[in-house]
Amino acid sequence: RLRSLKFAMPDVATGTVVDYRVRVVSPVGVSTQPFLATMFFRSFEPEALVRFSVTAPKDYPLAQAERLMPPGAAPRREDLAGGRVRLTWESRSVPSFKPENDQPPYPMMAPHVLVAGAADWAGVAAAAAAEIGPRLDAGPEVKALAERLTRGKTTDAAKVEALYDWAARRSKYESIPMDSYSYAPKSPADILQAKEGNDLDKPFFLFVLLREAGFKPQFAYMQYKGDTPFEASVPSLGQFSGAAILLDLGGRRLFLVPTGDTRRWDEIPARYQGAHGLVVYGPDRGKTFENPLLDAARESERD
């Protein structure tokens, strides 16, 4: 990636051009570290040149999407030595955002390009499920915890609430993003021992607890509402920032996200309301969906 910035700096000659390059070498795994490259073509400084290049083996299919890009910014394709291909996008004389003049918020509405391996969502979900499957063995301590938490509860809702409350309140939330660690969760035993987890591990632990208690939950990767807009044509787990559990109970579908300790078990965090997700484990595996907003009538009744 190459950006050339032109802006005023104290005690520096007018018209100074600052160039910097960022090289990112990405693996092609679609589960633990999925390949997704995103480049924004506008920022809070004017830029003389923004260039974004992706190099891959010639036989490695790429999915790409351009959003809000200026005319003439279509990718240039080069065949390289060693059986490689390079795609390059360029934009010149890029103006800055000016939030004070009601410009669109950065980066959600900035011109941008996304590139990923050209799988489909079913393939992405299958690869994620292959990583999750071996981690579903709860182990004796987690099994005992699920039995103890649901003992004496006479309704399914009471059982789910007890399991949710433990996962949400008895384990610490760590804000470690998946792209800095892994898109595959830790084992339930490791999560229980650490009594902490991020936006992937805490929901996964509740998912395992629910299975041990006899429920049939589904596991989904979720996008934050404030992330770059979801792009259905670029299948990659890299578009997601966390996870949630889908559970059909009493004639309605619940979205369980036990990351905070102040919400009721059947409330949806604000950052997931209206956000997109992908089911990776359960009957709907491979299906993308948009999370509904909270029911206003139910919320007013609670208030």
Side-chain angles (χ1 to χ4, degrees):
R1 308 173 186 183
L2 169 64
R3 305 188 81 104
S4 297
L5 284 68
K6 184 178 291 186
F7 51 89
M9 299 177 65
D11 302 320
V12 176
T14 303
T16 297
V17 175
V18 180
D19 292 345
Y20 68 90
R21 298 171 185 263
V22 178
R23 182 177 183 183
V24 180
V25 180
S26 299
V28 296
V30 295
S31 51
T32 54
Q33 285 296 331
F35 166 48
L36 175 69
T38 306
M39 181 68 169
F40 296 98
F41 281 74
R42 195 172 180 186
S43 66
F44 290 109
E45 298 291 352
E47 298 175 304
L49 170 66
V50 181
R51 179 184 298 142
F52 174 46
S53 296
V54 174
T55 303
K58 190 174 296 185
D59 59 354
Y60 181 70
L62 294 173
Q64 62 195 64
E66 296 88 15
R67 282 190 165 178
L68 307 175
M69 292 294 288
R76 181 177 72 253
R77 178 187 174 99
E78 302 172 81
D79 291 323
L80 306 177
R84 297 174 301 152
V85 64
R86 176 182 295 154
L87 298 177
T88 301
W89 291 259
E90 286 187 358
S91 188
R92 297 178 181 271
S93 302
V94 182
S96 64
F97 278 125
K98 296 180 175 59
E100 67 274 13
N101 294 332
D102 297 322
Q103 292 285 340
Y106 179 85
M108 282 72 75
M109 295 303 294
H112 60 275
V113 173
L114 298 92
V115 183
D120 55 24
W121 287 114
V124 171
E131 293 288 336
I132 288 173
R135 294 169 167 82
L136 289 176
D137 183 9
E141 293 186 14
V142 177
K143 290 177 184 289
L145 176 63
E147 194 281 327
R148 177 171 61 83
L149 291 173
T150 56
R151 188 185 305 147
K153 303 295 188 298
T154 58
T155 66
D156 286 344
K159 294 177 182 179
V160 173
E161 182 174 7
L163 297 171
Y164 175 95
D165 285 348
W166 198 99
R169 299 173 184 176
R170 297 291 297 276
S171 62
K172 181 182 177 182
Y173 171 67
E174 296 288 354
S175 57
I176 302 173
M178 292 191 294
D179 60 2
S180 297
Y181 182 69
S182 174
Y183 282 77
K186 295 178 182 176
S187 72
D190 287 343
I191 299 171
L192 178 62
Q193 182 178 21
K195 286 189 172 57
E196 63 183 17
N198 62 1
D199 285 299
L200 175 62
D201 291 336
K202 282 172 70 72
F204 182 68
F205 188 74
L206 176 58
F207 176 68
V208 174
L209 284 177
L210 288 166
R211 285 169 54 91
E212 291 301 318
F215 294 98
K216 297 180 179 179
Q218 301 194 76
F219 194 69
Y221 282 71
M222 294 294 301
Q223 183 190 47
Y224 291 165
K225 187 167 59 177
D227 287 347
T228 305
F230 180 72
E231 181 52 65
S233 66
V234 182
S236 172
L237 281 186
Q239 291 204 58
F240 303 116
S241 302
I245 295 141
L246 283 60
L247 181 66
D248 295 323
L249 189 69
R252 65 187 178 102
R253 172 157 289 186
L254 299 174
F255 294 84
L256 306 176
V257 187
T259 51
D261 59 3
T262 59
R263 289 184 300 273
R264 282 180 50 88
W265 61 283
D266 57 350
E267 292 179 342
I268 304 172
R271 62 185 175 186
Y272 289 131
Q273 296 175 29
H276 287 81
L278 170 70
V279 179
V280 299
Y281 211 93
D284 295 331
R285 191 178 83 183
K287 181 183 294 186
T288 59
F289 62 91
E290 184 175 355
N291 201 9
L293 297 174
L294 283 175
D295 187 298
R298 287 176 57 238
E299 288 307 295
S300 63
E301 289 173 4
R302 285 199 188 121
D303 295 340

